[in-house]
Amino acid sequence: DVQLVESGGGSVQAGESLRLSCATSGLRLHAHTMSWVRQSPGKEFEWVAYISPTGKVSYAESVKDRFTISRNTAEETIYLTIDRLRSEDTATYYCEVPQHPFTDPKKFFNRGQGTQVTVSA
């Protein structure tokens, strides 16, 4: 079975940085596109970024200057680094094994339980 376990969230001040982790099991990052999505209170899920099996990355326009998706294939873990956090980044962040085209957060094979990020001004 595929398992995705996110960690690294917390309560931070605006302007700080965080690195979220998603430990995977039951799959190989070399063979799967992985994505990060988020859900802010009262809002729909929002796609944030994905990384392909070859390491190609793509970002939502709204986050591309501050978010970095990366991976460690030896540890089968993906990361999301968020710089210059803003209050609007407050959300629960989830990693997914997405379905094509990889940018619709509602289309996925697997999703983790999420990690909460709260940004205060």
Side-chain angles (χ1 to χ4, degrees):
D1 287 353
V2 172
Q3 289 194 327
L4 308 174
V5 180
E6 300 94 335
S7 62
S11 296
V12 296
Q13 298 287 321
E16 294 181 345
S17 297
L18 270 180
R19 189 178 79 160
L20 309 181
S21 300
C22 173
T24 74
S25 61
L27 57 78
R28 290 291 180 263
L29 297 182
H30 279 305
H32 292 85
T33 294
M34 299 294 298
S35 66
W36 285 96
V37 302
R38 66 182 179 182
Q39 186 177 33
S40 300
K43 295 187 177 181
E44 297 290 321
F45 277 91
E46 175 188 16
W47 169 72
V48 171
Y50 73 71
I51 184 166
S52 77
T54 60
K56 174 185 174 182
V57 299
S58 183
Y59 299 96
E61 191 69 22
S62 61
V63 305
K64 67 178 183 177
D65 293 331
R66 298 185 298 116
F67 286 35
T68 304
I69 188 171
S70 60
R71 66 183 184 180
N72 183 323
T73 54
E75 297 185 358
E76 302 293 356
T77 300
I78 64 167
Y79 304 98
L80 185 70
T81 302
I82 310 173
D83 295 317
R84 303 186 303 281
L85 278 153
R86 304 170 179 171
S87 56
E88 55 262 40
D89 295 323
T90 294
T92 303
Y93 287 74
Y94 302 84
C95 63
E96 291 185 343
V97 183
Q99 297 178 8
H100 192 274
F102 312 130
T103 58
D104 185 342
K106 299 186 296 296
K107 295 182 177 180
F108 61 94
F109 295 105
N110 308 93
R111 179 189 284 168
Q113 85 290 345
T115 185
Q116 176 68 39
V117 173
T118 302
V119 184
S120 55

